[in-house]
């Protein structure tokens, strides 16, 4: 507080600042009391936010996987000959055997240079030397033109009888036929070929950037170009087309380029686990044939007497997904994956205990009654490390024996131990399948042998105990029907989901979900009201302090005046 005054002129020796400080003591205590309440509620809000975050993750993320049949009713498939086919069974698959006869596996369309790439310029027999900024590769002009033709064309460019920007070669590349497939044009100008020395690597780049589902590459070591369709199946192709115009040099040059690549279709077959690849005869363009093409093959198989065809080597039937690897016959045995179910139930026990232990630690956390909220002046008199250690103890036990935490713990334990009436066997509770409490805090353990015994007797018991919906249809007085949930018939995970989401709603209403006070929660509103009250009170404190200074200012002035009169009268 800065106030003008003439303190000390009277020689009274009064310490005005100390007098004002004493006069402000009551109001400062009132302000500190509000401040401590505000901070305590902010800490409490943060503590609730931490509980909300953990509980929300546990309820709506961690627990959700235990509703799924693939977790609590896992199935496995075993192949009699994995060289022919393997399989993955989902949780709805029936425990039985399936016969699988593979007559053809799927393949991708594939073109590859048969031998080496032909060069019209016979003076060039290996990849051209590296040119400025380019990787060593065959120059397109050497594939297309002899050295004499190159010199002749360059002369025409220099004379202006041939335009450098005109298209020299152009062809269409497509990844199949029909509306679902795409095509694009690949072209080069005379400038590209004769002056810029574009190479087969540039051709590869243009094909890969064309937006079709085909990948091109050039192998300079073996002097071979390849084109590979990314999708398998007979409808996914590689098609290269040149416009059929006998009078066009563009078509002639384009035809020459594609023919000199010496492309052939690659066919791969696999039998008894051994793959064999072969090349077709060279794919050649002529004046009467403007297209070369390679197509993939569909997988063909007979499963349990029914024929299936697929563009990939995966075929799904009766909730089993088969992966075909070669021609042949095998038997696929589907059975419950007991080990996987046990593993998942063990994980559930760990997740449940982790959440419950966290709640227990907050519920039983020690309180330190001698450690309260520090005021600003108290913090200023301490080191940063001292403040941190003090606040650790002051925040401890904020949720000690908290009733909301108590209700959540009780709901979790009740959901776990109440038998599930919808289970149609004696294995209708967590205890029946080996999950039991070992402490008075609700911590549980799993008896794996007991669980395996239950699964052997009733393979569906774990899934039913965990995930039964408990829904029932109720007829109202007016004759209409509605769906309600019967807690006793509801599975453990759905019980936890329902009860804990109710608790999350309660926490959200009371404390919000974060430290923010602008969430309309009870605590958020209380903190905002305290902040407003403190702000208003601070204004009043400043005014009162100003008043005290003025009061002592007036007193000092009066004393100084009396002192002057006395000195005058006494002749001093």
């Amino acid at each position: 507080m800065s106030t003008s005054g003439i303190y000390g002129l009277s020689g009274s020796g009064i310490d005005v600042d100390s007098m004002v400080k004493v006069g402000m003591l009551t109001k400062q205590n009132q302000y500190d009391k509000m401040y401590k309440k505000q901070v305590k509620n902010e800490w409490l809000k943060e503590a609730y936010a931490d509980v909300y975050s953990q509980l929300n993750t546990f309820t709506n993320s961690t627990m959700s996987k235990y509703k799924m049949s693939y977790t609590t009713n896992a199935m496995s498939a075993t192949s009699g000959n994995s060289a022919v086919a393997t399989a993955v069974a989902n949780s709805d698959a029936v425990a039985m055997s399936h016969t699988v006869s593979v007559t053809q596996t799927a393949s991708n369309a594939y073109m590859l240079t048969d031998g080496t790439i032909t060069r019209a310029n016979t003076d060039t027999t290996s990849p051209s030397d590296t040119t400025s900024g380019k990787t060593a590769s065959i120059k397109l002009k050497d594939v297309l033109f002899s050295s004499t033709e190159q010199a002749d064309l360059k002369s025409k460019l220099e004379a202006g009888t041939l335009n450098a920007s005109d298209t020299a070669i152009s062809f269409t590349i497509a990844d199949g036929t029909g509306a679902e497939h795409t095509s694009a044009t690949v072209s080069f100008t005379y400038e590209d070929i004769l002056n810029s020395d574009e190479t087969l690597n540039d051709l590869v780049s243009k094909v890969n950037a064309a937006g079709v589902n085909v990948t091109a590459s050039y192998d300079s070591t073996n002097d071979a170009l390849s084109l590979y369709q990314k999708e398998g199946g007979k409808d996914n192709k590689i098609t290269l087309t040149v416009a059929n115009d006998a009078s066009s040099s563009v078509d002639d040059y384009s035809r020459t380029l594609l023919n000199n690549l010496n492309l052939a279709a690659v066919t791969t077959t696999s039998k008894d686990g051994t793959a064999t690849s072969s090349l077709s005869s060279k794919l050649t363009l002529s004046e009467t044939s403007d297209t070369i093409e390679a197509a993939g093959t569909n997988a063909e198989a007979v499963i349990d007497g029914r024929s299936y065809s697929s563009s990939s080597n995966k075929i799904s039937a009766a909730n089993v997904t088969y992966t075909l690897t070669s021609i042949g016959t095998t038997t696929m045995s589907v059975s419950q994956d007991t080990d996987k179910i046990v593993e998942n139930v063990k994980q559930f026990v760990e997740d449940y205990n982790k959440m419950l232990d966290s709640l227990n630690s907050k519920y039983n956390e020690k309180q330190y009654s001698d450690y309260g909220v520090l005021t600003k002046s108290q913090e200023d008199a301490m080191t940063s490390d001292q403040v941190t250690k003090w606040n650790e103890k002051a925040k401890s036990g904020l949720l000690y024996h908290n009733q909301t935490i108590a209700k959540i713990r009780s709901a979790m334990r009740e959901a776990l131990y109440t038998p599930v009436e919808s289970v149609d066997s004696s294995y209708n509770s967590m205890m029946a399948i080996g999950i039991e409490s070992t402490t008075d805090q609700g911590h549980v353990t799993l008896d794996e042998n007991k669980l395996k015994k239950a699964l052997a007797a009733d393979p569906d018991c774990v899934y039913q105990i965990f995930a039964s919906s408990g829904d029932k249809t109720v007829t109202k007085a007016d004759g209409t029907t509605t769906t309600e949930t019967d807690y006793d018939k509801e599975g453990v995970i759905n019980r936890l989901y329902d009860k804990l989401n109710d608790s999350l709603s309660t926490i959200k209403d009371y404390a919000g979900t974060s430290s923010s006070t602008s969430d309309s929660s009870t605590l958020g509103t209380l903190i905002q009201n305290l902040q407003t009250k403190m702000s208003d009170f601070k204004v009043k404190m400043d005014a009162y302090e100003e008043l005290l200074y003025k009061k002592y200012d007036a007193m000092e002035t009066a004393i100084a005046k009396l002192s002057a009169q006395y000195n005058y009268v006494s002749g001093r």
Side-chain angles (χ1 to χ4, degrees):
M1 178 71 192
S2 176
T3 304
S4 60
I6 54 173
Y7 319 122
L9 290 178
S10 66
S12 63
I14 297 175
D15 185 346
V16 174
D17 285 333
S18 295
M19 295 287 286
V20 171
K21 188 174 182 179
V22 171
M24 291 294 296
L25 192 58
T26 300
K27 293 193 179 296
Q28 185 63 51
N29 288 339
Q30 289 177 293
Y31 181 86
D32 288 344
K33 185 177 181 180
M34 287 186 285
Y35 172 78
K36 289 181 178 182
K37 186 175 181 181
Q38 174 203 333
V39 173
K40 186 70 174 287
N41 281 303
E42 288 175 343
W43 288 351
L44 186 60
K45 197 175 193 302
E46 290 173 1
Y48 269 112
D50 181 55
V51 172
Y52 184 94
S53 177
Q54 291 184 48
L55 195 65
N56 185 51
T57 299
F58 173 78
T59 304
N60 296 297
S61 179
T62 305
M63 287 293 102
S64 61
K65 64 184 177 184
Y66 299 109
K67 289 183 180 182
M68 305 303 173
S69 56
Y70 66 76
T71 302
T72 51
N73 192 33
M75 304 294 287
S76 63
T78 304
S79 176
N81 187 353
S82 58
V84 173
T86 58
V88 174
N90 70 28
S91 57
D92 295 322
V94 177
M96 61 178 290
S97 293
H98 301 275
T99 59
V100 182
S101 179
V102 182
T103 56
Q104 181 174 280
T105 54
S107 66
N108 298 56
Y110 182 19
M111 290 181 180
L112 178 66
T113 296
D114 184 0
T116 59
I117 294 172
T118 299
R119 291 145 173 82
N121 180 6
T122 56
D123 296 335
T124 305
T125 58
S126 61
S128 307
D129 293 335
T130 303
T131 57
S132 178
K134 294 183 180 294
T135 304
S137 178
I138 302 175
K139 294 175 183 178
L140 291 176
K141 66 183 179 183
D142 291 331
V143 177
L144 285 165
F145 311 119
S146 67
S147 58
T148 301
E149 289 173 319
Q150 291 180 33
D152 180 57
L153 288 170
K154 284 192 174 184
S155 295
K156 290 180 179 180
L157 287 175
E158 292 172 0
T161 57
L162 185 64
N163 193 333
S165 63
D166 285 347
T167 300
I169 57 175
S170 177
F171 63 89
T172 299
I173 181 168
D175 53 21
T177 56
E180 71 275 15
H181 294 288
T182 57
S183 63
T185 299
V186 176
S187 62
F188 291 84
T189 65
Y190 287 104
E191 174 69 25
D192 295 332
I193 296 172
L194 296 171
N195 294 333
S196 297
D197 287 334
E198 300 272 283
T199 68
L200 281 180
N201 281 333
D202 295 306
L203 172 62
V204 164
S205 296
K206 285 199 174 186
V207 170
N208 290 336
V212 296
N213 210 28
V214 175
T215 297
S217 65
Y218 172 64
D219 175 4
S220 61
T221 301
N222 296 295
D223 194 20
L225 186 133
S226 65
L227 297 169
Y228 187 76
Q229 162 57 273
K230 299 174 187 177
E231 299 291 336
K234 64 182 182 180
D235 293 328
N236 296 311
K237 305 175 181 180
I238 301 172
T239 304
L240 305 176
T241 305
V242 173
N244 193 5
D245 185 351
S247 64
S248 170
S249 61
V250 174
D251 297 332
D252 288 340
Y253 294 154
S254 302
R255 198 175 287 111
T256 298
L257 171 66
L258 295 180
N259 284 339
N260 286 355
L261 293 176
N262 296 319
L263 295 169
V266 181
T267 302
T268 301
T269 58
S270 181
K271 189 172 184 179
D272 297 326
T274 301
T276 304
S277 296
S278 61
L279 285 172
S280 69
S281 57
K282 292 179 182 178
L283 303 170
T284 305
L285 290 160
S286 67
E287 291 184 359
T288 58
S289 176
D290 58 0
T291 297
I292 58 175
E293 184 175 85
T297 58
N298 279 1
E300 306 287 346
V302 177
I303 301 173
D304 295 337
R306 179 177 175 177
S307 297
Y308 294 86
S309 179
S310 172
S311 62
S312 73
N313 281 312
K314 289 189 181 296
I315 294 175
S316 294
N319 297 306
V320 179
T321 299
Y322 300 87
T323 299
L324 313 182
T325 53
S326 67
I327 296 169
T329 301
T330 186
T331 299
M332 206 68 63
S333 299
V334 177
S335 59
Q336 189 174 59
D337 191 343
T338 302
D339 290 340
K340 187 65 176 178
I341 295 173
V342 171
E343 179 186 332
N344 291 336
V345 173
K346 282 174 64 178
Q347 186 60 52
F348 165 79
V349 168
E350 290 180 18
D351 291 335
Y352 179 90
N353 283 336
K354 183 178 179 181
M355 185 68 249
L356 192 64
D357 290 347
S358 177
L359 293 171
N360 286 336
S361 68
K362 290 175 172 57
Y363 186 78
N364 296 311
E365 188 176 40
K366 184 177 180 179
Q367 290 182 318
Y368 295 90
S369 57
D370 293 336
Y371 291 79
V373 176
L374 295 170
T375 64
K376 294 290 186 182
S377 59
Q378 288 173 327
E379 287 186 352
D380 291 341
M382 300 166 68
T383 66
S384 176
D385 186 55
Q386 287 174 328
V387 171
T388 298
K389 291 180 177 179
W390 179 283
N391 286 341
E392 285 176 359
K393 291 188 180 298
K395 290 180 179 181
S396 179
L398 285 170
L399 297 177
Y400 177 77
H401 282 197
N402 179 275
Q403 290 305 302
T404 299
I405 302 295
K407 289 178 181 178
I408 294 172
R409 295 194 316 162
S410 177
M412 288 180 65
R413 297 171 72 172
E414 182 182 9
L416 197 70
Y417 292 116
T418 302
V420 181
E421 293 181 359
S422 57
V423 179
D424 51 10
S425 75
S426 59
Y427 296 99
N428 65 346
S429 68
M430 287 295 196
M431 288 181 288
I433 63 171
I435 297 177
E436 297 186 30
S437 177
T438 55
T439 71
D440 59 2
Q441 295 296 310
H443 201 275
V444 296
T445 59
L446 171 66
D447 184 333
E448 292 185 29
N449 290 329
K450 195 170 183 179
L451 175 58
K452 290 177 181 178
K453 181 180 178 181
L455 285 168
D458 180 5
D460 293 330
C461 66
V462 173
Y463 175 69
Q464 290 180 324
I465 290 172
F466 274 67
S468 293
S469 69
D471 290 346
K472 63 179 181 180
T473 301
V474 178
T475 302
K476 297 180 180 180
D478 60 3
T480 60
T481 60
T482 185
T483 300
E484 296 180 358
T485 299
D486 187 334
Y487 181 86
D488 290 333
K489 292 183 178 181
E490 196 175 23
V492 170
I493 304 303
N494 288 317
R495 289 173 180 170
L496 287 169
Y497 179 84
D498 292 342
K499 293 295 184 181
L500 297 186
N501 269 309
D502 287 344
S503 297
L504 285 169
S505 181
T506 298
I507 293 174
K508 184 177 181 180
D509 289 342
Y510 179 68
T513 62
S514 69
S515 59
S516 172
T517 59
S518 58
D519 53 15
S520 300
S521 66
T522 300
L523 275 180
T525 302
L526 174 62
I527 293 168
Q528 286 184 326
N529 290 340
L530 280 169
Q531 289 171 339
T532 300
K533 186 177 180 181
M534 289 165 62
S535 178
D536 293 342
F537 192 79
K538 190 68 171 64
V539 172
K540 292 179 180 178
M541 284 180 67
D542 290 344
Y544 184 68
E545 186 181 34
E546 179 78 18
L547 182 63
L548 287 178
Y549 272 112
K550 287 182 178 180
K551 175 181 176 181
Y552 288 114
D553 186 30
M555 181 186 71
E556 284 281 66
T557 301
I559 292 174
K561 188 178 292 185
L562 287 172
S563 179
Q565 291 174 348
Y566 174 76
N567 289 335
Y568 176 77
V569 172
S570 62
R572 292 182 181 182

